[in-house]
Amino acid sequence: MRCPCGSNRTYDDCCGPYLEGRSDPPTAEALMRSRYTAYSQAAIDYLLATHDPPPPPEEVKAWAERAEFLSLQIVGTRAGGALDDEGEVEFLARYREAGVERVHHERSQFQRRQGRWCYVERLASPKVGRNDPCPCGSGKKYKKCCAA
């Protein structure tokens, strides 16, 4: 089975070991990918364990269960490597909710705490003008695509 995170690797060679507790993600991007995969599988315990401080479990569970996660695209990273203690990951997560396909665009901050990467907070979302190309890569203007 291909990993839901979009890495083009199998689940067992990608996010599976992290979600199953056999190893820890070595980078901020690997944690971001594994968290996306956890949302796609409603692995609530993993999502709470990799978020510092943990959010209300009922909110995480509600979104993970009501959304159908379609794809993840990493837009870029800043730091967050195997030797870093902090990093940022910008990503686009496509999902369907109540029959409507949506794109969640976020820039997230990650920190290594007690030797393990964790999601810390959502940073200011990148600003996209109505007439700018849509960041989802569709080739359409933002106002005719994800802003519609």
Side-chain angles (χ1 to χ4, degrees):
M1 166 178 121
R2 289 272 176 229
C3 193
C5 80
S7 67
N8 289 323
R9 295 168 46 203
T10 66
Y11 174 79
D12 289 336
D13 290 334
C14 192
C15 294
Y18 310 141
L19 272 70
E20 295 164 9
R22 291 185 277 135
S23 64
D24 292 326
T27 65
E29 181 179 335
L31 178 62
M32 176 60 241
R33 288 182 177 280
S34 69
R35 286 179 54 79
Y36 174 86
T37 297
Y39 270 108
S40 77
Q41 297 179 357
I44 308 308
D45 291 340
Y46 183 81
L47 292 165
L48 296 174
T50 58
H51 193 297
D52 192 17
E58 57 278 357
E59 290 178 17
V60 174
K61 183 177 186 201
W63 193 45
E65 290 178 350
R66 77 174 176 259
E68 175 189 358
F69 293 86
L70 306 172
S71 67
L72 175 68
Q73 176 187 352
I74 303 297
V75 176
T77 61
R78 187 187 67 74
L83 301 176
D84 295 319
D85 288 327
E86 293 187 355
E88 294 177 13
V89 179
E90 183 178 350
F91 66 93
L92 299 165
R94 292 181 185 282
Y95 64 99
R96 186 176 296 119
E97 187 174 14
V100 178
E101 195 169 314
R102 302 179 188 277
V103 176
H104 177 81
H105 187 186
E106 182 175 323
R107 191 168 55 102
S108 304
Q109 181 179 15
F110 296 85
Q111 290 182 352
R112 191 185 305 269
R113 297 196 176 156
Q114 298 176 342
R116 299 178 71 196
W117 282 104
C118 62
Y119 173 89
V120 177
E121 67 179 322
R122 178 180 185 171
L123 300 171
S125 294
K127 298 294 181 206
V128 180
R130 290 177 34 82
N131 290 314
D132 290 341
C134 191
C136 76
S138 68
K140 299 177 184 178
K141 288 185 178 182
Y142 179 65
K143 69 183 177 186
K144 297 281 187 178
C145 191
C146 293

